Amino acid sequence: MNIVLKAGLAALLASTILSGAAMAETLRLSHNTGDTTTWQKGAERFGELLAQKTGGDLDVRVFPNAQLSGGDQMRQAEMVGRGALDLVVTSAINVTPLVPEMAVFSLPYLYAGYDQVDATTQGAPAELLEDILRDKGIEVLAWGENGFREVTNNVRPVKSPADMQGLNMRVAGPMYIDVMNALGANPQQMQWGETMTALQQGVVDGQENPIGAVIIPQQVYEVQKYLTTWHYSYDPIFLGVSKKVWDGLDAETQGQMSEAAEEAMTYQREITRKGTADGVAFLRDKGMEVYEPSEDELVAFREATQPAFDEWAAKVGDEIVGAFRKAIDEAGQGS
């Protein structure tokens, strides 16, 4: 009888230990790019910080390359909004099918430097977008950085809008289709997971992405010959959580999650900007021909893309565009 009792107590104890261990909740985080990028590093840092701050109660598993949305980077935000995914790191331009106003960040030649960027992404203008995303079921925890998007191709150096004529260009979202059309290129919207193969096989001639966040860590230099630092569009990323998850947390845990996100995205912005600052020399060492346009040449690109700016500014609306322009003007030229 004692043996049976002891066995029962042991089983009860083991069950208690296992149920205690199972109390740690694992949240799934999806992002667009590969596991070598600053997106991945920022997501991993968030997971580490969240586990520390919650004493192990919350854990994060990171899924790169939009694995949880079948490779469709545009679907991730919508899936988070309805609670099919817990967390997402995605760029503003990839959310425009769900929230067209998110295109405001990426309007061509809106920004002249990082001070202006930070005045919007880390200031009151971003809160206008956060309110809209909240209505879509997404709580924005913090803003990170994809960066200023530069153009690469395998056909010729791009020094003027005329050089874009006829190039088959992979683009990430609908606004960039209109921008490329304005430049005389042939845009093809394509998932990032398909892009490297398309570049290798010549299905598309080129693409546009930030240096520090994508071009270097994704080794785009191995399949592209020419790069022009035209800084034509800026693309932030954000770390968002499903409101279904967020609303199920107590105030203390919400605070811990927000703190972890802010710290992780600050780190992600720092390493992205460092990668960008060091990137041109690195890409030249890797054999890319890098062209850095003069201010007059940038004016020509700005004028050529003005129709796309005007069209998308109208879609975004005067209130949001006005708030962004006001913050940018107050920040000055910046760095």
Side-chain angles (χ1 to χ4, degrees):
M1 191 69 178
N2 285 342
I3 293 174
V4 173
L5 181 60
K6 287 179 180 178
L9 287 171
L12 180 61
L13 179 61
S15 174
T16 302
I17 292 171
L18 287 172
S19 68
M23 286 178 65
E25 182 179 357
T26 297
L27 302 176
R28 298 171 305 154
L29 186 155
S30 179
H31 73 83
N32 304 358
T33 62
D35 59 9
T36 61
T37 62
T38 65
W39 297 46
Q40 174 83 11
K41 292 175 181 176
E44 290 174 342
R45 178 64 64 91
F46 170 68
E48 294 165 2
L49 290 167
L50 186 61
Q52 291 172 11
K53 292 177 185 294
T54 62
D57 288 343
L58 290 178
D59 185 49
V60 175
R61 185 177 177 192
V62 179
F63 294 85
N65 293 315
Q67 294 173 38
L68 299 182
S69 58
D72 188 341
Q73 59 199 48
M74 297 292 189
R75 285 186 59 222
Q76 293 172 112
E78 177 267 329
M79 290 176 70
V80 171
R82 58 183 168 85
L85 285 176
D86 302 316
L87 294 152
V88 67
V89 172
T90 191
S91 68
I93 203 66
N94 281 308
V95 187
T96 53
L98 181 67
V99 180
E101 294 91 341
M102 289 289 280
V104 65
F105 294 102
S106 302
L107 290 170
Y109 294 103
L110 178 67
Y111 297 107
Y114 288 129
D115 287 349
Q116 294 182 356
V117 165
D118 292 344
T120 59
T121 62
Q122 309 305 313
E127 295 174 6
L128 298 172
L129 283 306
E130 291 170 12
D131 289 341
I132 297 172
L133 285 163
R134 190 173 295 115
D135 289 341
K136 299 291 185 180
I138 302 169
E139 186 71 29
V140 175
L141 297 170
W143 294 87
E145 180 158 284
N146 200 22
F148 284 101
R149 303 178 75 98
E150 317 294 14
V151 65
T152 70
N153 81 97
N154 273 331
V155 177
R156 55 181 170 263
V158 172
K159 301 180 180 181
S160 71
D163 294 324
M164 292 295 296
Q165 290 281 333
L167 292 182
N168 296 317
M169 298 296 299
R170 178 268 176 183
V171 295
M175 190 194 76
Y176 292 130
I177 292 175
D178 294 334
V179 172
M180 289 297 163
N181 281 330
L183 290 166
N186 302 317
Q188 297 185 38
Q189 187 169 325
M190 186 180 296
Q191 303 297 329
W192 177 251
E194 305 167 357
T195 300
M196 291 295 284
T197 300
L199 291 168
Q200 288 172 324
Q201 296 177 349
V203 175
V204 290
D205 300 315
Q207 60 85 55
E208 43 74 57
N209 255 305
I211 290 173
V214 176
I215 291 174
I216 291 176
Q218 296 277 250
Q219 299 178 313
V220 175
Y221 53 84
E222 292 187 350
V223 295
Q224 294 277 266
K225 181 177 177 64
Y226 304 104
L227 181 144
T228 297
T229 57
W230 63 353
H231 311 319
Y232 88 123
S233 181
Y234 178 81
D235 194 20
I237 63 176
F238 68 87
L239 172 52
V241 61
S242 169
K243 271 193 63 60
K244 290 185 178 180
V245 172
W246 181 254
D247 291 344
L249 303 175
D250 58 42
E252 181 182 9
T253 307
Q254 287 179 345
Q256 292 164 338
M257 182 176 282
S258 293
E259 289 175 5
E262 287 289 353
E263 291 176 28
M265 290 296 98
T266 296
Y267 161 76
Q268 190 273 338
R269 288 196 309 275
E270 289 172 353
I271 61 174
T272 297
R273 290 182 185 182
K274 185 179 188 309
T276 297
D278 299 339
V280 169
F282 175 88
L283 293 172
R284 284 189 168 124
D285 286 344
K286 289 295 183 180
M288 288 197 85
E289 292 186 25
V290 179
Y291 185 74
E292 300 180 77
S294 68
E295 190 55 43
D296 287 344
E297 288 168 328
L298 290 176
V299 167
F301 284 117
R302 186 177 296 111
E303 290 175 349
T305 56
Q306 190 66 44
F309 183 108
D310 294 340
E311 180 179 347
W312 278 86
K315 291 180 182 181
V316 169
D318 292 341
E319 179 187 1
I320 294 175
V321 173
F324 271 67
R325 281 179 157 157
K326 181 175 183 290
I328 288 168
D329 288 345
E330 290 174 353
Q333 287 296 307
S335 57

